[in-house]
Amino acid sequence: MTALTLSTAAATGLRADAIVVGVAKGAGSKGGLVVAPGAEAVDKAYDGKLASVLETLGASGGEGEVTKLPAPSGFKAPVVVAVGLGGVPEKDETYGTDALRRAAGAAARALTGAKKAAFALPVEDADDAGAVAEGALLGSYSFDAYKDQADTKATKKNGKDAKAPLAEAVLLGAKPRDKAYKAAIERATAVAQELNRARDLVNTPPNDLSPEAFAAVAQAAAKEHGIKVQVLDEKALAKGGYGGILGVGAGSDAPPRLVKLSYTHSKAKKHLAYVGKGITYDSGGISLKPAGHNETMKCDMAGAAAVFAAVVAAARLGLEVNVTGWLALAENMPSGSATRPGDVLRMYSGKTVEVLNTDAEGRLVLADAIAKASEEEPDAIVDVATLTGAMMMALGNRTFGIMSNDDAFRTSVHEVAEEVGEPSWPMPLPADLRKGMDSPTADIANMGERMGGGLVAGLFLQEFVGEGITWAHLDIAGPAFHEGAPYGYTPKGGTGSAVRTLVRLAEHTAAGDLG
């Protein structure tokens, strides 16, 4: 993982492979390129003409745009990397933490193979420093566990590994001895490391990440960070009556698991329960997915990965809030023992569910975990899941939907997500859609009306929330796995979607900001 350092050194005299500066689009149609604060010394070394030089090279200051140019004479770094921040902020405003996070991420990606880079981006306070640090750590992420080592060696040039992530990021303009800055860097490190661990889990091939293997990873992390852990295997699940989890996992040779992670703090006044969908591979079961829809289904455990990462991050940060994570883990496969369309499952809550489509399996494992989590009467339950293609149709690939049984809590979760730079949107739970899940055989069916399918899934989950408990559902089907080219601090593959939202929600709860 990229190392972080705070420094007050001048960019001109720092030994590094590159100096990163920010540039932006000037206001108006003829505003031109603007050099952002933090790069004054670099601009001066270009006789105040850095902006015009960059414009000559075609730079516009657009968000995430990266332009490299030789450093001026006298610099100990050979290259200056200009990264676009987007538009110049309005008077009395700053560039914003997510603009800084995205810019640092883009620069870190562009510096793959470098040993050391100095970031001279506009840092006005500790929050800005934390954003730059987080962006650098997230942007330098790579998943190479399955790469041919011979191929890796072939990429080495001049003693450097051209595929290795940026080794060290030095944040200029920060205050190394200031407690707030130190805390911001420590927080950024903990959150980014755990988010990257979630990305690793999502990217791991399903033949190496069975429910049992995922549970083992959680157990190891829990032991390292003082988190209590309980793992229910298939025998314990059968004894406990977890019909949803068992029904989904019935067709696989890899049996399901329910993992409980409990982080507690002696001064905590609130308790949050996070529930994650952990389908380690989703074939659709008997309702088999069509060709072209299976290749990325290793990502169907991204909700459980996010919950796992958030609980560990809360423990590392020592947040004064109790956080319990529930990982509902199963593999959904077709076989002679698989649950069939038309089967009825008796869930942990006692409700019966008629399974009309075995590819609507995530709501079944979540329902059991939500019902179990409700028994502890937490102040709020938040479930996270790559649940429906319908949510992707509604909100696209970069935005997750938020549903809740409490409008004020839904608004709070949305505001928290926007605060950390995770695009999200509040969605309703229309009561009229509930009737579509009426079953002549069971208490409820796992499918309802096709239109509004993402909302129907939310209504199904709501049935299993304990009475009087505040609950929110995050459908991260779109942003959990990115198949396009990397951008900002977002890589190709697993993204770690919702981790930062869950962590910040826990921080606000600990501070008493959410009531």
Side-chain angles (χ1 to χ4, degrees):
M1 180 124 179
T2 302
L4 288 175
T5 308
L6 296 176
S7 177
T8 57
T12 54
L14 189 69
R15 292 188 181 278
D17 294 306
I19 304 295
V20 177
V21 300
V23 293
K25 291 183 176 181
S29 59
K30 298 181 180 180
L33 194 72
V34 175
V35 177
E40 291 84 358
V42 178
D43 188 30
K44 184 178 179 180
Y46 283 96
D47 296 325
K49 297 180 181 179
L50 177 57
S52 60
V53 171
L54 288 168
E55 286 183 321
T56 300
L57 295 174
S60 68
E63 182 183 304
E65 177 188 76
V66 174
T67 306
K68 296 181 180 180
L69 66 163
S73 176
F75 270 53
K76 292 184 178 180
V79 176
V80 170
V81 177
V83 60
L85 290 160
V88 173
E90 297 291 331
K91 185 179 180 181
D92 299 327
E93 293 184 2
T94 64
Y95 282 90
T97 52
D98 203 49
L100 295 175
R101 192 182 291 114
R102 291 192 297 265
R109 285 192 297 102
L111 288 166
T112 296
K115 290 184 177 180
K116 184 176 181 179
F119 287 73
L121 295 173
V123 173
E124 295 192 8
D125 55 27
D127 287 342
D128 288 348
V132 173
E134 201 173 83
L137 294 176
L138 296 178
S140 60
Y141 172 82
S142 65
F143 184 72
D144 301 317
Y146 293 83
K147 296 289 187 180
D148 188 330
Q149 294 301 309
D151 177 65
T152 300
K153 291 178 181 178
T155 66
K156 290 189 175 181
K157 299 178 181 179
N158 301 320
K160 297 180 181 179
D161 187 345
K163 287 189 176 181
L166 173 65
E168 182 181 357
V170 181
L171 275 61
L172 303 181
K175 301 176 181 179
R177 297 182 182 180
D178 185 285
K179 290 183 179 180
Y181 279 79
K182 286 182 178 180
I185 298 306
E186 289 172 1
R187 180 193 182 280
T189 300
V191 173
Q193 285 180 343
E194 296 312 320
L195 191 153
N196 283 339
R197 175 155 38 186
R199 289 173 168 178
D200 282 348
L201 286 167
V202 174
N203 289 328
T204 298
N207 57 318
D208 281 346
L209 193 72
S210 64
E212 183 179 10
F214 196 147
V217 172
Q219 286 175 306
K223 183 178 181 181
E224 180 183 356
H225 296 290
I227 300 168
K228 291 183 180 180
V229 61
Q230 179 185 17
V231 178
L232 300 184
D233 62 14
E234 65 272 31
K235 292 181 180 178
L237 291 169
K239 184 177 180 180
Y242 294 87
I245 297 174
L246 287 168
V248 173
S252 174
D253 289 337
R257 295 288 187 268
L258 177 62
V259 179
K260 178 185 179 183
L261 297 166
S262 302
Y263 162 69
T264 59
H265 193 285
S266 60
K267 296 182 180 180
K269 296 180 180 179
K270 296 287 186 178
H271 176 201
L272 294 174
Y274 292 157
V275 180
K277 173 187 172 183
I279 305 301
T280 56
Y281 182 74
D282 182 19
S283 69
I286 297 297
S287 305
L288 195 67
K289 292 180 183 292
H293 290 73
N294 289 286
E295 290 77 5
T296 61
M297 282 300 101
K298 64 181 182 180
C299 81
D300 214 19
M301 36 59 66
V307 167
F308 165 57
V311 175
V312 176
R316 291 181 60 175
L317 295 172
L319 302 183
E320 293 184 11
V321 59
N322 294 336
V323 184
T324 304
W326 298 89
L327 316 181
L329 309 175
E331 184 178 59
N332 188 24
M333 295 290 283
S335 74
S337 61
T339 294
R340 296 153 291 222
D343 283 355
V344 174
L345 304 177
R346 184 170 296 279
M347 311 295 282
Y348 177 80
S349 68
K351 285 182 184 289
T352 55
V353 175
E354 182 181 10
V355 179
L356 299 180
N357 187 329
T358 64
D359 195 24
E361 84 299 329
R363 66 198 69 183
L364 298 175
V365 300
L366 285 173
D368 273 355
I370 289 171
K372 181 63 177 177
S374 295
E375 291 181 347
E376 297 186 347
E377 298 184 347
D379 293 286
I381 295 174
V382 180
D383 78 73
V384 188
T386 49
L387 206 59
T388 66
M391 195 56 58
M392 297 171 68
M393 292 293 289
L395 299 178
N397 292 322
R398 297 190 183 185
T399 303
F400 62 75
I402 305 171
M403 284 153 266
S404 179
N405 60 1
D406 183 296
D407 289 348
F409 187 61
R410 181 185 62 187
T411 298
S412 293
V413 174
H414 177 228
E415 290 174 349
V416 166
E418 295 296 312
E419 180 185 340
V420 298
E422 294 202 288
S424 64
W425 197 250
M427 302 292 282
L429 289 171
D432 61 285
L433 291 178
R434 169 61 182 84
K435 186 172 178 58
M437 290 184 283
D438 285 349
S439 166
T441 307
D443 294 323
I444 190 172
N446 77 328
M447 291 291 288
E449 294 183 28
R450 179 171 177 269
M451 298 302 177
L455 311 182
V456 170
L459 286 165
F460 179 90
L461 295 178
Q462 186 175 224
E463 295 277 326
F464 298 88
V465 179
E467 186 176 353
I469 297 176
T470 300
W471 157 81
H473 161 55
L474 312 186
D475 190 336
I476 62 170
F481 197 84
H482 179 56
E483 296 186 68
Y487 63 93
Y489 49 82
T490 301
K492 187 179 180 70
T495 64
S497 178
V499 172
R500 290 181 295 127
T501 295
L502 295 180
V503 173
R504 186 55 62 88
L505 184 65
E507 288 175 322
H508 279 305
T509 302
D513 296 340
L514 297 180

